[in-house]
């Protein structure tokens, strides 16, 4: 059986490829990348690397030739081709190439969420359903890596503005779970992947355990948070954009009670240990 991972040179993709090689062997793995030379430098030896950009449906279809199962990693917004159009291209390409199964990295409760980040994922899930492709939606909560400004020493350390919860877990755990689903014989249609529901105060407590410190987290206004990010050297627009990434936490979009991630992995890394590993990189 031939397995493919798209967007394979990103952090999530690289981790997923390594896990997949361990699970099925390099000879059964196809990595789909935008830059073939970069793929050769970053990805394990022995896998097949195929070049394709989500903006080019024909190229994606060619790259998916002979693929039985695809881990479709969602693209980043803001490209020359909209993410909605990129994802439409991938879905059409997978259907036309005869891919037997697609696991798609989506957004928490994407089909019902009204958060601005969910819109493209909601559309993509709809397109996949309508295509008739056998599929699973991997609705990933928040990566711990998203919180480096909170975790790392600096002007924004232990500062936050969002007043709600998230299901933080390391990106590597989400990637490992994606591969577990991809290689499963009988996957579910929807996985709400998340760590335990935690607040920023909980995150700060785990950070203190990880670092051996005793420092309190401080909630500030969104404007004050933007100013703290500017203290890191970011211009105002970039700081405001990063601050907006806490919006899904504040509006409750990431409040999740699901045990899907823990069940698929057979356990989760304790949060303080995950933080310690992240800060050591």
């Amino acid at each position: 059986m031939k397995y493919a991972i798209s967007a394979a040179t990103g952090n999530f993709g690289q981790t997923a490829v390594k896990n997949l090689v361990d699970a099925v062997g390099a000879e059964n793995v196809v990595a789909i990348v935008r830059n073939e030379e970069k793929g050769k430098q970053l990805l394990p030896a022995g896998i097949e690397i195929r070049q394709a950009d989500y903006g080019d449906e024909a190229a994606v279809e060619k790259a998916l030739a002979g693929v039985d199962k695809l881990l479709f990693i969602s693209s980043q917004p803001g490209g020359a081709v909209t993410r909605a159009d990129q994802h439409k291209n991938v879905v059409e390409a997978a259907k036309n190439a005869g891919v037997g199964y697609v696991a798609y990295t989506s957004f928490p409760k994407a089909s019902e969420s009204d958060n601005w980040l969910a819109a493209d994922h909601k559309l993509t899930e709809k397109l996949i359903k309508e295509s008739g492709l056998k599929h699973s939606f991997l609705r990933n909560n928040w990566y711990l890596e998203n919180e480096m400004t909170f975790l790392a020493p600096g002007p924004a350390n232990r500062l936050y503005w969002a007043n709600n919860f998230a299901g933080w877990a390391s990106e590597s755990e989400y990637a490992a779970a994606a591969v577990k689903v991809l290689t499963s014989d009988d996957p579910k249609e929807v996985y709400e992947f998340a760590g335990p529901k935690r607040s920023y105060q909980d995150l700060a407590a785990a950070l203190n355990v990880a670092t051996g410190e005793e420092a309190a987290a401080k909630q500030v206004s969104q404007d004050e948070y933007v100013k703290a990010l500017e203290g890191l050297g970011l211009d105002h627009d970039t700081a405001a954009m990063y601050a907006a990434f806490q919006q899904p936490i504040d509006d409750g979009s990431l409040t999740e009670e699901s045990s899907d991630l823990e069940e698929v992995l057979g356990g989760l890394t304790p949060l303080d240990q995950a933080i310690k590993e992240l800060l050591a990189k």
Side-chain angles (χ1 to χ4, degrees), residues 242-255:
Y242 277 106
F245 290 155
Q246 286 192 19
Q247 183 63 48
I249 298 175
D250 190 66
D251 69 16
S253 296
L254 304 184
T255 301

Side-chain angles (χ1 to χ4, degrees), residues 2 30 41 67 93 120 125 131 136 161 185 207 221 254 257:
K2 196 67 96 174
V30 173
Q41 292 172 7
V67 167
D120 290 336
E125 287 192 4
S131 74
S136 293
W161 70 265
D185 291 330
L207 175 60
S221 70
L254 304 184
E257 301 282 1

Side-chain angles (χ1 to χ4, degrees), residues 4-19:
I5 296 179
S6 63
T9 56
N11 291 331
F12 190 100
Q14 288 184 57
T15 303
V17 168
K18 291 173 184 174
N19 278 272

Side-chain angles (χ1 to χ4, degrees), residues 76-99:
Q76 296 296 320
V81 178
T82 67
R83 181 159 65 170
D85 285 339
Q86 289 183 42
H87 287 190
K88 181 176 182 293
N89 288 342
V90 177
V91 174
E92 287 297 314
K95 179 181 177 180
N96 293 335
V99 173

Side-chain angles (χ1 to χ4, degrees), residues 124-170:
T124 305
E125 287 192 4
K126 181 174 182 288
L127 290 171
I128 291 172
K129 280 189 171 185
E130 291 174 349
S131 74
L133 288 162
K134 185 178 178 182
H135 60 270
S136 293
F137 300 138
L138 315 178
R139 293 174 173 172
N140 292 343
N141 205 279
W142 234 222
Y143 302 159
L144 190 57
E145 287 80 353
N146 293 348
E147 302 296 346
M148 283 304 295
T149 53
F150 181 92
L151 299 170
N157 177 250
R158 291 179 172 82
L159 292 183
Y160 67 99
W161 70 265
N163 187 32
N164 221 315
F165 301 93
W168 291 291
S170 68

Side-chain angles (χ1 to χ4, degrees), residues 71-233:
L71 174 56
F72 172 13
I73 298 175
S74 57
S75 68
Q76 296 296 320
V81 178
T82 67
R83 181 159 65 170
D85 285 339
Q86 289 183 42
H87 287 190
K88 181 176 182 293
N89 288 342
V90 177
V91 174
E92 287 297 314
K95 179 181 177 180
N96 293 335
V99 173
Y101 168 81
V102 174
Y104 169 68
T105 60
S106 190
F107 186 85
K109 302 186 184 76
S111 58
E112 58 194 69
S113 177
D114 58 5
N115 186 274
W116 64 280
L117 287 173
D120 290 336
H121 296 289
K122 182 184 297 187
L123 172 63
T124 305
E125 287 192 4
K126 181 174 182 288
L127 290 171
I128 291 172
K129 280 189 171 185
E130 291 174 349
S131 74
L133 288 162
K134 185 178 178 182
H135 60 270
S136 293
F137 300 138
L138 315 178
R139 293 174 173 172
N140 292 343
N141 205 279
W142 234 222
Y143 302 159
L144 190 57
E145 287 80 353
N146 293 348
E147 302 296 346
M148 283 304 295
T149 53
F150 181 92
L151 299 170
N157 177 250
R158 291 179 172 82
L159 292 183
Y160 67 99
W161 70 265
N163 187 32
N164 221 315
F165 301 93
W168 291 291
S170 68
E171 187 174 13
S172 62
E173 288 181 296
Y174 287 106
V179 170
K180 290 276 191 183
V181 173
L182 186 69
T183 56
S184 170
D185 291 330
D186 188 26
K188 299 194 300 184
E189 182 181 19
V190 175
Y191 293 84
E192 294 287 351
F193 280 155
K197 183 181 77 172
R198 292 184 171 102
S199 68
Y200 273 105
Q201 291 293 334
D202 296 326
L203 188 62
L207 175 60
N208 282 339
V209 173
T211 59
E213 299 174 358
E214 287 297 332
K218 180 182 178 182
Q219 185 174 23
V220 297
S221 70
Q222 189 170 356
D223 286 343
E224 288 172 319
Y225 187 75
V226 169
K227 288 183 173 63
L229 294 182
E230 290 173 347
L232 293 170

